[in-house]
């Protein structure tokens, strides 16, 4: 459904989360059928139709076990993804005593909107970035890098924390975590199948003994002689299904709307009433946000996921310049180079601005 505002965006995120979970099981079932097709082609000599029907029978036998295994994988990801992310990124939780200024900034934002306080973590790296994780109120966490903390002013850091807090409030974080889990499942099983195919012995034509069934006994000797060709075609179909599942898992991640970053920037301005702070933070982060050794799934949850050139077509984030332009046009923000040239804005007690030619403030937060 099209999103026309914050609440429709939140509604769409909930719908997408359900569809992604359903898509997870669908892709795993496709991979299971592909695996059954490979086993049939390598074990028996039959026609292509026989291979396809035999693979479906094998799929039905494996169906309950695959469903159980996928549910267990999903449970592990749902329950322990925070620990896995901390292990990969090297981040660690901090308390008010360890980081009083940072902790107070986040706490004040939560109090202002009546939101539960997420866990605060720091990643020891000079890169400038931040991300939020979690699937429910007990798991939500915001991680900032040491470099970001040192480089940003208090107002800019508050804007970044408000940006991540908006992702949590909008349901973006839950959606991204589910997408990462899906990509992990498909990549794991897809790689297992590909490794199995590459390690098989291809010295003799595919297809083993004739299938001990009525279909094989009634087939002609010519059909059995063509079993090797039918087996090769069956394996090619299986490979195509594996590749299709992998591509669909990528498409799922690319289908996540870039508008979530614009809305998170707008939410940061709503919370802080300071669009210039968000613009200043984005300018400092730009080009310095790459987290070395961190998987792409986590980078997709960050404030900025640097992409350039052709790869920008598949980027999960709009460019920093586009985000700043949106803040300037719709939130009354100003680029640093505009600050010196913007006319003085009259305040209470000042002279009449009309006499000096000053323009009134603009934008929803002006």
């Amino acid at each position: 459904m099209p999103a026309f505002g914050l609440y429709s965006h939140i509604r769409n995120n909930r719908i997408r989360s359900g569809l992604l979970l359903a898509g997870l099981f669908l892709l795993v079932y496709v991979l299971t059928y592909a695996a059954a097709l490979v086993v049939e082609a390598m074990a028996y000599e039959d026609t292509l139709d026989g291979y396809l029907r035999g693979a479906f029978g094998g799929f039905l036998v494996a169906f309950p076990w695959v469903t159980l295994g996928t549910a267990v994988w999903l449970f592990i990801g749902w329950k322990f993804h925070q620990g896995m992310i901390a292990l990969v990124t090297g981040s660690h939780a901090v308390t008010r005593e360890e980081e009083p200024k940072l902790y107070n900034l986040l706490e004040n934002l939560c109090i202002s909107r009546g939101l539960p306080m997420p866990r605060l973590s720091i990643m020891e790296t000079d890169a400038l970035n931040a991300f939020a994780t979690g699937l429910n109120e007990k798991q939500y966490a915001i991680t900032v890098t040491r470099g970001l903390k040192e480089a940003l002013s208090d107002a800019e850091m508050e804007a970044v924390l408000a940006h991540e807090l908006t992702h949590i409030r909008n349901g973006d974080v839950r959606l991204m975590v589910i997408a990462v889990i899906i990509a992990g499942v498909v990549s794991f099983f897809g790689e297992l199948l590909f490794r199995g195919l590459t390690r098989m012995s291809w010295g003799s034509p595919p297809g083993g003994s004739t299938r001990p069934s009525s279909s094989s006994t009634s087939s002609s000797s010519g059909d059995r002689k063509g079993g090797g060709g039918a087996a090769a075609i069956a394996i090619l179909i299986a490979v195509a299904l594996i590749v299709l599942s992998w591509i669909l898992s990528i498409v799922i991640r690319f289908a996540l709307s870039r508008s979530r970053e614009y809305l998170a920037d707008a939410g940061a301005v709503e919370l802080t009433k300071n669009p210039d702070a968000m613009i200043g933070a984005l300018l400092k982060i730009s080009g310095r946000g790459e987290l070395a050794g961190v998987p792409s799934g986590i980078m997709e949850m960050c404030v900025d996921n640097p992409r350039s050139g052709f790869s920008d077509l598949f980027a999960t984030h709009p460019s920093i310049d586009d985000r700043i332009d949106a803040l300037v046009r719709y939130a009354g923000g100003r680029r640093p180079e505009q600050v010196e040239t913007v006319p003085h804005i009259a305040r209470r007690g000042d002279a009449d601005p009309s006499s000096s030619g000053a323009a009134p403030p603009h934008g929803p937060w002006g």
Side-chain angles (χ1 to χ4, degrees), residues 170-198:
N170 291 356
D172 298 330
V173 174
R174 182 186 302 110
L175 188 67
M176 291 302 299
V177 170
I178 292 174
V180 170
I181 293 174
I182 291 175
V185 171
V186 175
S187 297
F188 177 76
F189 287 106
E191 184 174 354
L192 281 182
L193 289 177
F194 267 120
R195 286 180 179 272
L197 286 173
T198 55

Side-chain angles (χ1 to χ4, degrees), residues 232-296:
I233 295 174
I235 291 175
L236 288 177
I237 293 174
V239 171
L241 290 175
I242 296 170
V243 173
L244 177 63
S245 299
W246 177 73
I247 292 175
L248 287 177
S249 70
I250 295 177
V251 169
I252 285 173
R253 293 161 69 179
F254 291 157
L256 301 177
S257 174
R258 292 188 184 188
S259 65
R260 72 183 187 277
E261 294 302 323
Y262 291 116
L263 288 172
D265 291 341
V269 176
E270 179 197 3
L271 287 170
T272 64
K273 307 298 187 294
N274 190 350
D276 292 346
M278 191 70 234
I279 290 174
L282 289 174
L283 287 172
K284 290 181 179 179
I285 292 171
S286 180
R288 302 175 62 188
E290 187 67 36
L291 301 178
V294 171
S296 61

Side-chain angles (χ1 to χ4, degrees), residues 24-356:
L24 165 63
F25 285 89
L26 177 61
L27 291 179
V28 172
Y29 292 147
V30 171
L31 289 173
T32 302
Y33 181 81
L37 193 56
V38 171
V39 171
E40 289 289 319
M42 299 302 297
Y44 301 109
E45 182 180 348
D46 204 342
T47 62
L48 179 60
D49 182 63
Y51 287 134
L52 296 177
R53 286 188 284 104
F56 184 73
F59 167 77
L60 293 179
V61 173
F63 180 85
W65 301 104
V66 170
T67 302
L68 178 61
T70 305
V72 170
W73 181 294
L74 188 62
F75 172 78
I76 293 174
W78 193 282
K79 193 76 173 176
F80 303 107
H81 74 277
Q82 288 284 37
M84 296 177 186
I85 291 174
L87 186 64
V88 171
T89 62
S91 60
H92 58 91
V94 293
T95 62
R96 186 195 302 274
E97 291 72 21
E98 294 171 324
E99 296 290 344
K101 184 182 296 186
L102 192 63
Y103 195 96
N104 288 338
L105 287 174
L106 180 58
E107 186 178 51
N108 291 339
L109 289 170
C110 293
I111 292 174
S112 69
R113 285 296 181 270
L115 300 173
M117 175 77 174
R119 187 169 70 251
L120 184 61
S121 298
I122 286 185
M123 182 178 174
E124 301 295 342
T125 175
D126 293 332
L128 274 57
N129 227 324
F131 58 89
T133 54
L135 292 165
N136 54 56
E137 292 184 357
K138 294 181 180 180
Q139 294 181 335
Y140 290 139
I142 294 178
T143 301
V144 301
T145 63
R146 181 69 66 182
L148 187 72
K149 178 181 176 296
E150 300 298 332
L152 268 55
S153 66
D154 289 350
E156 292 166 344
M157 178 57 71
E158 184 183 42
V160 171
L161 293 174
H163 175 99
E164 296 304 330
L165 202 58
T166 302
H167 273 315
I168 292 175
R169 184 173 59 167
N170 291 356
D172 298 330
V173 174
R174 182 186 302 110
L175 188 67
M176 291 302 299
V177 170
I178 292 174
V180 170
I181 293 174
I182 291 175
V185 171
V186 175
S187 297
F188 177 76
F189 287 106
E191 184 174 354
L192 281 182
L193 289 177
F194 267 120
R195 286 180 179 272
L197 286 173
T198 55
R199 292 183 180 181
M200 286 179 180
S201 174
W202 299 98
S204 57
S209 58
T210 303
R211 183 190 304 278
S213 65
S214 59
S215 62
S216 64
T217 55
S218 61
S219 61
S220 66
S221 59
D223 288 339
R224 288 196 294 270
K225 289 179 181 178
I233 295 174
I235 291 175
L236 288 177
I237 293 174
V239 171
L241 290 175
I242 296 170
V243 173
L244 177 63
S245 299
W246 177 73
I247 292 175
L248 287 177
S249 70
I250 295 177
V251 169
I252 285 173
R253 293 161 69 179
F254 291 157
L256 301 177
S257 174
R258 292 188 184 188
S259 65
R260 72 183 187 277
E261 294 302 323
Y262 291 116
L263 288 172
D265 291 341
V269 176
E270 179 197 3
L271 287 170
T272 64
K273 307 298 187 294
N274 190 350
D276 292 346
M278 191 70 234
I279 290 174
L282 289 174
L283 287 172
K284 290 181 179 179
I285 292 171
S286 180
R288 302 175 62 188
E290 187 67 36
L291 301 178
V294 171
S296 61
I298 296 178
M299 287 299 305
E300 291 166 8
M301 295 187 285
C302 291
V303 172
D304 184 34
N305 185 17
R307 295 291 180 94
S308 60
F310 178 76
S311 61
D312 184 58
L313 295 174
F314 306 100
T316 56
H317 289 55
S319 69
I320 292 291
D321 283 340
D322 289 344
R323 292 165 66 179
I324 292 175
D325 287 341
L327 290 170
V328 170
R329 291 182 59 188
Y330 304 113
R334 298 174 295 174
R335 290 179 180 268
E337 63 268 18
Q338 296 175 317
V339 174
E340 300 299 328
T341 59
V342 170
H344 171 71
I345 303 301
R347 300 176 183 275
R348 183 176 297 177
D350 288 352
D352 184 1
S354 60
S355 61
S356 61

